[in-house]
Amino acid sequence: MSAITEKNSTSTSLKPQFRIGSALSYLVLGVSTFLVVFPFWWMLVVASNTKDEIAKNPPRFVIGDQLPVTFDVIFEYANIYRAITISFIIAISMAISHIFFCTFAGYAFAKLKFKGQKQLFAFILLTMMVPGQLGIIPMYILVTRLGWNNDLKAIIVPGLVSAFGVFWMRQSISAVISEEVIQAARIDGASPWQIYTKIVFPLVRPTALVMGLFSFLNAWNDFLWPMLILDGDKMLTVQMAIAQMKEQAYIVNHAAQMGAAFFATLPLIILFFLVSKQLVKGVMEGAIKG
Amino acid sequence: MFKSIRNAKIVAVFAVVGALVLPTTPASAAPVEITLSCFNDLNMGNLLKEWETVNPNIKVKLKTADFNAHHDGLLTQLIAGQGPDIACMEVGYTSRFKAYPQLFTNLGKTFKANTLEKSFINWRWEQGVARDGTIIGIPTDVGGLAMCYRQDLLKKAGLPNERKAVSDATSTQAKLTAFAEKYVAATGKPFLDNVSQLFEGVSRQGADGVQFYDKKTDKIVEVPQVKKAYDLAATFVSKKLSAEIAPWSSDWNQGMGNGAFAAMLCPSWLLANIQNNAKDIPGAWDVAQMPGGGANWGGSQLTIPKFAANPKQAWTFISWVLAPEQQLKLFLDKGVLPTTPAVYKDKKFLAAKDIAYNNAPIGKIFSDVVMSIKKPIYEGKYQVSVKDAYNAAVGRMASGKQTPAASWAQLMKEIKKIKSLS
Amino acid sequence: MNLKLNALVKSKSSLRAGEGRLAFTAISPFYFLYLVFGIFPILYTSYMAFFAWDPLGEKVFIGLTNFTNLLQDEVLWKALRNTLSIWVLGTVPQLALALYLATILNRNRLRFSNFWRAAILIPNVTSVLAIAVIFSSLYGRDFGLINYVLNFFGVDKINWMEGTLTSHIEISSMIIWRWTGYNALIYLAAMQSIPKDLYESAALDGATGWQQFIYVTLPGIRNVMIFTITMSTIGGLQTFNEPYILGGVTGGNDKQFYTLAMFLYEEAFRKFQFGYGAAIGIFIFFCVVIFALINAFIASKIAKD
C-alpha cells in the first residue's frame, strides 16, 4: 500500500507530514500518559512518606521508605485483600451479565422486528435520564424487604442489566452489522438464534468486550450503594476500604488512603494489560472477516 | 482503687446496670456480633482490643464511612426500618435525629440510662436527649475549644507568649482584636488561620445559651451574640488579621508547620494533627484559653436505633466503653477529652502534659474550658442547615465576595426559607 | 433455485414468528429486572413529588406545590447554570480529546499500543476519593502546584474553589482527567470496526489524513458518537461526585459550584424534604430529555450533510 501511495504526485507531501504527525502523536500520548500517571505516582509518594514530608513546600516527589508502615495501618483498618476479592466478584458478575444480556437485547432492538420496538427502546432511554439519588430510598426498602441485607445479591441483582449497555450495543450493532450479511445468513437457512451466535456476536465482540470492561469499572467504582448494603467488616468493597482509612477522630490518614487506593488499582491495571491483548485479537479477527 | 466515694458510686451504678443487662446465658453460648457504625473509629482502636478480653461473648464490628455519607446513610437505613446496633452521631447531627425519638431505643426506659445523667457534663448529656425527654444517646467525648498559638512567633513579634499572659491578653473580643493587630503590625503576617471557627465558637457564647434555636419555642431566632460573632469575624477580615485558609485543606495542614498563621482555635482532638504537621518545630505550639471563655467543637453520642438486632448487647458495650475508667484510658492514650467530669479530678489526668505543646497541661486546660460552659446550646431540627447558611455567609464575607452587610442580608433571606420548612 | 425460493417464501412467515420469539427471549429477562429495580424506584420517586414528605415522619398531599415553589426558587436556576457550565467545560474538551486520542491509538504501526490503551484508562480506575485529595492539593491557594507554576507567569494566587468560573474549571479538569480515557476507548472500539479498505480507497483517491478522518472515520463512528454525546449529556446534567468530593455538600459558600444533583441531595437527605427533592429529580429528568432531543436533532442534521 505504501508503495502505491509513494508513486502518487501527492506522496512527497504525504511522507514528511506523516512523520510530523507521528511525532506529534507520540508527544500527545506521552503528555497524556504523564498527566494520567502522575497522580498515580503521587499516590505512591504520599503512601510511602511521612505526613510532614508531604506537607513541606515543595513536597518530596520521591518514593520514601514508609511503605511497610502504611501497609500495617491499612491492614489494621480494613481487610484489603477481602475487599479486593469482593469488589472483583461483584464487578466480574456484572461484566459477564452485561456482555450476555445487553448484547442480546441490543441485537433485538437493532436488527429484529417486533411490535412496539421503537417505544420500548425509547422507554429504556428515558429511564436513564432520571437521576439516581432518589431512587436509592425505594431500592433500599425493596432490597431489605427481600432480606438481602449485607448480601452481595443486593448489589449484583439490580446490576445484572444496564440500560447503558443496551443502548451502546444497539448503536454498535446497527453500525457494524449490515442487512446483507443477515439476509445472506437467512438464505443459508440459519435460525435467528444462530444468526446471533454465529454471525452477529463474533463481529461485535470487541465492542461487547469493551462494554463489559466498562461495566466492570462502573461496578468497581460504585461507592454509595455498597456502603449502604454491606457491613464494612467481613463484607466490604474496595471503595469502602479506602474510605475507612482513618487516623484520628475527624482526621483522615492520607498515607493509608493513598496506599489503599494505589494497591486497589494495581490488580485492575494488570487486568487491563491482559484484556487489551484479547481486544486486539478480537479486533484482528473482526477485521479479517469484515 | 476508688478515688472518692463519688467515683465508687458511679462505678457501682454502671456495674449494677451492666449486671442487669448482661445476658444470663450458659458459658458455651456463641458470641453475639454487634455492629458499631460511625464516621471514624472514635479512637477506640485499643479499647476495642481490650473489650475482646473483657467480654468475649460480644464481638463488636466497626463500620466506618465518610462523615456526611455516614449520617446520610443512617437516615436511609432508618427509613427502611433498618439500623446498626450502635450508631454514633456527631453533635452537629444529633439535633436532626433527635427530632424523631421514636426511631431510637429509649435508653432511659429500656436501660435506666437516666441514672447515668449525673456522671456526664450536663450540656453534653442534653445533646442526646430529645425534646420530649427521651434519652437517645450517651455522649462519647467532647471537643472543648481552646486557642493554640505559636509561642515562638509571638515572642519574635515582641508579644507575651506565656500561657496565662496570652489568655489574659485575649480574654475579650476587643482585647483579642487588639492583640492580633499588634502581631500583624509587627510581622506583616496574619494572626489567625480563618474566621469560620472563630465565628462558630463565639456565636455559642451567649449568656442564655441560645445560638440559633430558642429552647422554649423550638423556633429559629436571631440573637445579638451571633451578630456580635459575625461582626468580630468581619473586623478580622477587614483588618487582615486572618489568613483565611480553609480548614482541612492541604494549605491548612501546611500552614500549621510553616508559620502561615500564629494562632488557631483548637479542640483537644486536633492537637495530634497539629503536631503531625509541625514535626520540625516541636514545642513551638502552645495552648491558651479561648477568648470569651468556653465553647465546643465536636463530640458524638452513641445511640441504639430502634431496629437494632441486639440492643441488650449494644448497651452492655456502650455502658462499658463510656464509663469513666475507659474514658480516662482513652485520654491518656489518645488525648480524647472525656465527658465524665469525675475523670477531671484524676491525678493522671491533671498531670498529663503534652511535651509537644511546650509541656502544656492539656487535661486541665481543656477540662476547664468544658466545665466553664454552663448553658447547653439548644439545637433544633434544622440546626445543620441553619449552621451551613451562617457559615456560608461568613465565608462569602471573608473571601471578599460580598460586603459584610450584603452577605448578612442574603443570609437572612436564606434563613427565612429554612424557617418556612415544617 | 426453485427450492431456494420456496424455502424463502415458506420461511418468511415462520421467520417473523421466529424473530418475534427470539426478540421476546432477548428482551424479557432484561425487562423484568429493569421493571423491578429500575422502574419501580422511578415511579415511587415521582409519586413522592406530589407530597410534603418527611422521610422519618408523615407525608401530606400537596399537589403541584413542590413544582411551583421549585420553579420560583432562585437556587434552582443557579444550580442549573452551574451544572450547564461545568458540563460544557468538562464534556466538550473531553470528547474532542477522546476522539483525538482514539485516532492516535487506532494507528496500525503504533508502538506499545497495549500500554497506551491501558494507561489512558487508569484515571477511571482510581478511587475518586483519593484523586480528589490530590486535585485539591494541586489547586491549593497558597501551596498548590498549579498556583506555583502560574506564579512564574506573573499570575496572582487563585483561590480556585471560591470563584464561580475557577471552581468550575477545577471540577471540570478532574472530570476530564477521569473520563477522557473512557470515551477514547469507546471511540477506539468503534473505529476498529471500520473496514480498512475504506481507508485504502480514500488514500488512493488522494485524501490526506485529515480528509480521511472527516470522510471515513467520523461517518463510520457516527452512531457511537451520538451514543457518547447522549451519555455525556445524561451524565453531565447529573454531575454530583466530583463537586461534592472536591468542595463539600453545600456547593460553596455562594453555591458557586452547586449542581442540580447536589441540590436534590441536600434537599432530600439533609433537609428532610423528600417531596421537594423528588420534584427536583423530575426537573432534572426534563432537562435531560430536552437536551437529548436537541442532541439527536443536531446529530441527524449533521448526518444529512
Side-chain angles (χ1 to χ4, degrees):
Chain A
M1 181 176 124
S2 51
I4 301 171
T5 49
E6 259 171 3
K7 288 205 177 111
N8 268 345
S9 51
T10 50
S11 67
T12 40
S13 52
L14 257 174
K15 242 194 165 177
Q17 256 179 2
F18 187 72
R19 258 209 226 113
I20 294 174
S22 178
L24 182 65
S25 305
Y26 280 108
L27 181 68
V28 170
L29 275 182
V31 171
S32 305
T33 311
F34 170 74
L35 286 174
V36 150
V37 172
F38 175 71
F40 201 60
W41 169 262
W42 184 242
M43 273 199 268
L44 195 54
V45 168
V46 173
S48 60
N49 280 302
T50 53
K51 214 168 184 180
D52 52 312
E53 301 258 323
I54 302 295
K56 283 195 213 147
N57 182 49
R60 267 179 76 130
F61 275 100
V62 194
I63 299 190
D65 54 359
Q66 294 291 310
L67 265 185
V69 176
T70 310
F71 248 132
D72 284 338
V73 176
I74 294 177
F75 281 100
E76 191 182 310
Y77 277 100
N79 191 340
I80 263 275
Y81 285 139
R82 207 182 158 83
I84 294 182
T85 311
I86 290 181
S87 279
F88 202 78
I89 295 176
I90 295 175
I92 263 286
S93 315
M94 302 244 229
I96 294 178
S97 168
H98 288 184
I99 293 179
F100 183 69
F101 279 121
C102 295
T103 319
F104 199 18
Y107 167 64
F109 280 114
K111 289 299 172 191
L112 297 178
K113 293 194 189 352
F114 53 94
K115 252 198 273 184
Q117 183 179 24
K118 278 215 170 77
Q119 290 83 344
L120 282 174
F121 185 67
F123 188 68
I124 292 180
L125 273 188
L126 275 182
T127 53
M128 276 200 289
M129 302 183 187
V130 179
Q133 276 105 0
L134 273 184
I136 287 187
I137 301 278
M139 269 263 268
Y140 188 75
I141 296 177
L142 176 64
V143 153
T144 46
R145 292 281 152 83
L146 287 169
W148 287 352
N149 241 10
N150 203 29
D151 192 328
L152 287 187
K153 281 204 280 285
I155 302 177
I156 297 182
V157 173
L160 279 179
V161 294
S162 146
F164 173 75
V166 171
F167 184 23
W168 186 354
M169 293 319 294
R170 181 195 174 275
Q171 297 302 90
S172 288
I173 293 176
S174 38
V176 168
I177 315 283
S178 61
E179 273 306 312
E180 295 83 45
V181 167
I182 298 194
Q183 272 300 87
R186 282 196 200 127
I187 293 176
D188 281 347
S191 74
W193 173 249
Q194 284 172 320
I195 297 178
Y196 175 65
T197 49
K198 294 218 163 37
I199 303 203
V200 177
F201 191 77
L203 274 176
V204 85
R205 195 171 50 207
T207 312
L209 279 181
V210 176
M211 179 204 60
L213 184 64
F214 284 11
S215 302
F216 186 92
L217 278 182
N218 285 334
W220 189 269
N221 283 331
D222 190 16
F223 170 66
L224 197 59
W225 183 246
M227 201 209 63
L228 284 175
I229 302 285
L230 303 177
D231 70 10
D233 181 46
K234 290 219 180 55
M235 302 292 279
L236 79 169
T237 62
V238 160
Q239 305 300 330
M240 289 167 72
I242 294 173
Q244 280 184 16
M245 301 296 150
K246 305 283 183 191
E247 179 184 12
Q248 276 185 302
Y250 306 109
I251 298 163
V252 173
N253 181 334
H254 282 162
Q257 227 182 26
M258 294 296 155
F262 180 80
F263 288 108
T265 314
L266 212 51
L268 284 178
I269 301 189
I270 299 173
L271 180 73
F272 290 156
F273 277 104
L274 297 175
V275 170
S276 67
K277 285 209 183 101
Q278 274 295 318
L279 274 175
V280 174
K281 245 200 251 170
V283 159
M284 297 294 257
E285 284 170 29
I288 292 171
K289 280 210 181 117
Chain B
M1 186 174 160
F2 295 110
K3 302 276 185 290
S4 67
I5 304 292
R6 197 159 155 252
N7 266 353
K9 279 203 190 140
I10 295 163
V11 174
V13 165
F14 271 109
V16 165
V17 170
L20 278 176
V21 297
L22 267 176
T24 48
T25 49
S28 57
V32 177
E33 280 191 341
I34 60 173
T35 40
L36 165 59
S37 175
C38 202
F39 48 87
N40 60 43
D41 70 345
L42 295 171
N43 284 302
M44 287 185 179
N46 289 331
L47 276 183
L48 285 174
K49 285 203 193 97
E50 193 183 323
W51 172 256
E52 284 169 26
T53 53
V54 165
N55 191 329
N57 282 324
I58 303 180
K59 277 183 121 90
V60 177
K61 281 200 297 191
L62 177 64
K63 173 177 176 189
T64 57
D66 156 68
F67 188 70
N68 286 320
H70 161 75
H71 291 100
D72 299 330
L74 181 61
L75 171 66
T76 310
Q77 290 181 317
L78 292 177
I79 293 170
Q82 296 282 326
D85 290 306
I86 305 176
C88 87
M89 47 183 77
E90 202 252 6
V91 292
Y93 274 93
T94 39
S95 55
R96 171 183 311 175
F97 290 104
K98 268 191 340 187
Y100 304 97
Q102 64 272 25
L103 295 175
F104 295 90
T105 309
N106 186 333
L107 299 177
K109 234 182 8 164
T110 322
F111 297 117
K112 306 257 187 308
N114 44 333
T115 52
L116 299 175
E117 181 174 347
K118 296 228 168 42
S119 349
F120 290 89
I121 302 170
N122 68 331
W123 56 270
R124 273 300 275 122
W125 177 264
E126 288 257 342
Q127 285 169 322
V129 181
R131 202 170 166 73
D132 65 356
T134 314
I135 304 172
I136 65 165
I138 313 288
T140 58
D141 62 328
V142 61
L145 208 49
M147 187 167 72
C148 290
Y149 65 95
R150 287 285 298 272
Q151 51 93 3
D152 57 333
L153 292 181
L154 286 190
K155 191 168 188 184
K156 265 197 220 151
L159 288 164
N161 69 338
E162 185 266 313
R163 251 166 264 131
K164 188 155 191 327
V166 172
S167 303
D168 287 340
T170 58
S171 56
T172 67
Q173 294 177 17
K175 276 176 156 183
L176 173 71
T177 312
F179 193 82
E181 282 181 299
K182 279 203 213 123
Y183 178 81
V184 175
T187 62
K189 282 172 126 202
F191 179 72
L192 199 62
D193 58 342
N194 59 64
V195 296
S196 53
Q197 227 21 68
L198 183 66
F199 168 77
E200 275 214 56
V202 174
S203 66
R204 293 172 80 94
Q205 287 175 338
D208 48 357
V210 177
Q211 185 194 24
F212 299 133
Y213 267 89
D214 180 284
K215 180 163 188 166
K216 287 198 212 75
T217 62
D218 197 19
K219 293 243 178 293
I220 302 173
V221 292
E222 285 79 54
V223 292
Q225 181 67 22
V226 172
K227 188 68 174 44
K228 263 204 244 158
Y230 183 82
D231 291 335
L232 177 64
T235 309
F236 260 69
V237 169
S238 65
K239 297 200 171 156
K240 298 209 189 318
L241 306 176
S242 151
E244 275 320 291
I245 297 181
W248 309 117
S249 64
S250 55
D251 283 352
W252 190 61
N253 282 324
Q254 289 186 301
M256 293 177 199
N258 62 23
F261 42 86
M264 54 185 289
L265 293 184
C266 52
S268 55
W269 47 263
L270 199 53
L271 294 180
N273 191 42
I274 298 176
Q275 259 327 290
N276 261 333
N277 287 316
K279 275 220 178 93
D280 290 343
I281 43 171
W285 284 95
D286 204 329
V287 187
Q289 290 290 339
M290 176 201 158
N296 185 50
W297 180 7
S300 337
Q301 319 289 97
L302 290 185
T303 69
I304 304 181
K306 207 168 192 72
F307 317 106
N310 310 290
K312 285 217 195 88
Q313 291 80 346
W315 177 252
T316 311
F317 176 72
I318 289 181
S319 44
W320 177 82
V321 82
L322 296 181
E325 290 142 334
Q326 271 64 256
Q327 294 222 16
L328 178 61
K329 283 184 207 155
L330 206 51
F331 173 75
L332 294 173
D333 183 16
K334 301 267 184 178
V336 174
L337 202 63
T339 40
T340 43
V343 175
Y344 299 161
K345 304 219 171 57
D346 185 290
K347 267 205 218 116
K348 278 191 237 156
F349 180 85
L350 292 171
K353 289 197 205 299
D354 200 328
I355 299 176
Y357 285 89
N358 212 26
N359 279 324
I362 47 176
K364 180 138 194 352
I365 294 180
F366 281 103
S367 57
D368 281 347
V369 168
V370 159
M371 292 309 280
S372 73
I373 300 173
K374 288 290 169 230
K375 289 266 175 144
I377 300 282
Y378 177 69
E379 296 176 343
K381 184 166 163 188
Y382 292 105
Q383 179 78 13
V384 175
S385 300
V386 174
K387 189 165 69 120
D388 283 345
Y390 272 92
N391 283 334
V394 173
R396 285 194 301 271
M397 172 263 296
S399 69
K401 244 186 241 170
Q402 288 176 324
T403 64
S407 185
W408 185 264
Q410 184 173 328
L411 167 66
M412 285 300 116
K413 267 206 285 182
E414 290 171 11
I415 297 293
K416 196 155 156 236
K417 249 208 282 177
I418 300 177
K419 282 183 181 171
S420 69
L421 297 174
S422 59
Chain C
M1 217 32 132
N2 258 346
L3 283 166
K4 268 227 163 141
L5 252 162
N6 272 349
L8 251 175
V9 169
K10 215 204 242 180
S11 65
K12 247 211 168 152
S13 51
S14 55
L15 176 72
R16 277 291 140 84
E19 272 198 359
R21 269 199 302 272
L22 186 67
F24 186 70
T25 334
I27 309 192
S28 47
F30 172 81
Y31 254 96
F32 173 68
L33 282 170
Y34 205 62
L35 215 67
V36 174
F37 294 105
I39 299 177
F40 162 67
I42 294 172
L43 291 177
Y44 196 76
T45 303
S46 318
Y47 175 64
M48 284 198 270
F50 296 96
F51 288 76
W53 187 304
D54 182 333
L56 293 176
E58 294 136 23
K59 54 186 200 277
V60 179
F61 181 72
I62 54 171
L64 293 175
T65 313
N66 278 330
F67 294 98
T68 48
N69 283 343
L70 181 64
L71 290 175
Q72 292 167 354
D73 193 343
E74 52 190 13
V75 177
L76 175 76
W77 301 105
K78 193 173 218 177
L80 179 63
R81 283 196 301 274
N82 287 337
T83 310
L84 288 178
S85 165
I86 295 176
W87 175 64
V88 168
L89 286 174
T91 309
V92 174
Q94 185 203 130
L95 290 184
L97 190 59
L99 201 54
Y100 185 45
L101 282 176
T103 50
I104 297 178
L105 290 171
N106 194 30
R107 282 169 180 272
N108 288 340
R109 284 177 281 166
L110 190 70
R111 300 232 193 103
F112 312 118
S113 51
N114 279 347
F115 170 72
W116 303 117
R117 282 174 205 168
I120 57 171
L121 211 47
I122 291 179
N124 203 259
V125 177
T126 42
S127 150
V128 192
L129 299 169
I131 290 304
V133 173
I134 294 177
F135 266 76
S136 293
S137 115
L138 283 175
Y139 280 94
R141 187 193 68 190
D142 293 330
F143 306 115
L145 204 59
I146 293 183
N147 274 348
Y148 190 67
V149 169
L150 283 179
N151 203 26
F152 282 126
F153 295 98
V155 179
D156 273 334
K157 281 184 190 168
I158 302 179
N159 195 342
W160 291 93
M161 287 312 271
E162 270 300 312
T164 307
L165 187 61
T166 51
S167 65
H168 294 181
I169 292 177
E170 181 175 340
I171 296 170
S172 308
S173 67
M174 191 160 119
I175 295 177
I176 294 175
W177 184 85
R178 195 174 173 74
W179 294 98
T180 300
Y182 188 91
N183 284 308
L185 275 191
I186 296 182
Y187 289 145
L188 178 65
M191 283 180 191
Q192 306 219 298
S193 311
I194 300 177
K196 294 280 183 274
D197 42 306
L198 282 179
Y199 286 107
E200 288 179 21
S201 44
L204 276 174
D205 284 347
T208 62
W210 176 251
Q211 283 170 324
Q212 287 180 31
F213 176 70
I214 300 280
Y215 294 111
V216 179
T217 314
L218 279 186
I221 59 169
R222 193 185 66 106
N223 272 2
V224 170
M225 281 211 73
I226 297 176
F227 170 67
T228 52
I229 295 173
T230 310
M231 293 312 300
S232 297
T233 305
I234 296 177
L237 284 169
Q238 298 184 39
T239 303
F240 179 82
N241 281 334
E242 283 83 6
Y244 173 79
I245 294 177
L246 272 177
V249 70
T250 55
N253 55 30
D254 200 18
K255 295 195 160 33
Q256 60 270 25
F257 51 87
Y258 201 54
T259 62
L260 289 170
M262 290 169 82
F263 186 30
L264 192 165
Y265 182 84
E266 188 169 26
E267 288 296 320
F269 289 92
R270 286 172 74 79
K271 284 197 187 154
F272 283 5
Q273 309 295 310
F274 261 59
Y276 200 59
I280 299 174
I282 295 185
F283 179 83
I284 298 179
F285 171 68
F286 276 115
C287 285
V288 177
V289 168
I290 293 173
F291 272 86
L293 286 177
I294 297 177
N295 272 339
F297 183 66
I298 297 179
S300 60
K301 265 265 159 88
I302 293 180
K304 286 203 177 102
D305 297 336

